[in-house]
């Protein structure tokens, strides 16, 4: 005669010595209050760690499945561990302007920092004469942009092609004072300027100016 093996029912799981129950109709698990034991049949409400009043606690039933920390009610875990409740989100009314918080300064309690004005330079003077004869110059105009050539200033790296002016000297009808043409280019930012005489198809430098003194200064 063989012995009859009788399997005892599995004991309900516990979490830190507390009974684990499942909310009715929901997969979330709760930790029952201290002293609550597994009932003989499904129950509706028992005191929980997150709701100590059994009349206001959700309907629950004993749970015999696997239990992990991620499956337990967050409020039950906080109550069991004595952790404070998280701050409730602050309601913001729509259509109402709200001042944004002022970020903390990383400079500490210092005075206001003065932002210096951008440095300006004295205007580049065009040569008044060349070879002992006066030169008549036109007004400065924007120089044409040459796309296949770098247009930024070589001294201060200011973008753009800068400005140009044309000059002339002499008289085309005179044999003793023939007509000569000149051209000058300058950077509108740092006033670096070069003036040339047009000799055939070539340009011959007659003056180079690099202004290092701020505008309206005595330097």
């Amino acid at each position: 005669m063989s012995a009859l093996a009788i399997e005892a029912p599995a004991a309900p799981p516990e979490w830190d010595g507390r009974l684990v129950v499942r909310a009715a109709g929901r997969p979330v698990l709760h930790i029952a209050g201290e002293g609550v034991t597994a009932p003989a049949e499904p129950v509706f409400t028992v005191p929980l760690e997150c709701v100590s009043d059994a009349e206001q606690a959700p309907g629950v039933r004993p749970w015999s499945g696997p239990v992990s920390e991620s499956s337990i009610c967050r409020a039950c875990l906080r109550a069991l561990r004595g952790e404070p409740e998280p701050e409730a989100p602050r309601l913001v009314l729509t259509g109402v302007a709200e001042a944004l918080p002022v970020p903390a300064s990383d400079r500490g309690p210092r005075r206001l920092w003065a932002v210096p004005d951008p440095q300006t330079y004295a205007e580049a003077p065009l040569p008044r004469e060349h070879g002992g004869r006066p030169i008549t110059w036109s007004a400065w105009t924007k120089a044409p942009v040459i796309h296949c050539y770098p247009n930024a200033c070589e001294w201060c790296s200011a973008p753009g092609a800068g400005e140009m002016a044309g000059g002339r000297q002499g008289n085309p009808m005179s044999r003793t004072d023939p007509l000569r043409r000149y051209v000058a280019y300058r950077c509108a930012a740092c006033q670096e300027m070069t003036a040339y005489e047009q000799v055939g198809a070539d340009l011959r430098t007659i003056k180079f100016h690099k202004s290092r003194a701020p505008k309206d200064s005595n330097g």
Side-chain angles (χ1 to χ4, degrees):
M1 183 176 179
S2 60
L4 179 62
I6 301 177
E7 183 179 358
E14 293 184 348
W15 187 267
D16 285 350
R18 305 293 182 88
L19 178 68
V20 178
V21 294
R22 178 181 178 182
R26 299 180 182 179
V28 64
L29 302 180
H30 291 273
I31 302 175
E34 186 176 4
V36 176
T37 59
E41 58 185 19
V43 297
F44 291 99
T45 59
V46 293
L48 304 175
E49 283 294 329
C50 60
V51 183
S52 57
D53 187 356
E55 295 183 358
Q56 298 187 10
V60 295
R61 59 183 300 176
W63 175 251
S64 59
V67 180
S68 63
E69 183 173 336
S70 60
S71 63
I72 298 179
C73 166
R74 300 289 95 188
C76 285
L77 287 177
R78 285 194 300 268
L80 185 62
R81 296 170 178 173
E83 299 175 352
E85 292 289 333
E87 295 183 5
R90 186 170 57 90
L91 298 179
V92 179
L93 300 177
T94 59
V96 178
E98 182 180 5
L100 297 176
V102 179
S105 174
D106 58 350
R107 293 180 176 176
R110 301 180 182 178
R111 295 183 178 180
L112 295 178
W113 289 61
V115 178
D117 295 331
Q119 189 175 25
T120 57
Y121 296 86
E123 183 175 348
L126 291 165
R128 296 182 179 180
E129 56 86 23
H130 180 64
R133 294 183 175 88
I135 302 176
T136 302
W137 291 96
S138 65
W140 289 103
T141 58
K142 188 175 181 180
V145 177
I146 304 177
H147 295 283
C148 60
Y149 184 81
N151 293 284
C153 176
E154 296 181 358
W155 171 251
C156 70
S157 301
E163 299 173 319
M164 65 178 296
R168 58 182 296 168
Q169 180 189 73
N171 191 320
M173 306 300 296
S174 173
R175 294 184 177 181
T176 58
D177 188 14
L179 177 66
R180 290 183 174 85
R181 295 188 180 275
Y182 301 88
V183 64
Y185 297 92
R186 73 175 181 183
C187 172
C190 70
Q191 295 295 309
E192 183 182 63
M193 183 205 71
T194 306
Y196 305 91
E197 179 185 4
Q198 294 182 351
V199 182
D202 298 329
L203 294 177
R204 182 182 302 167
T205 302
I206 63 172
K207 184 177 181 180
F208 176 74
H209 171 81
K210 185 186 297 293
S211 176
R212 298 180 183 273
K215 190 175 182 180
D216 299 330
S217 71
N218 296 323

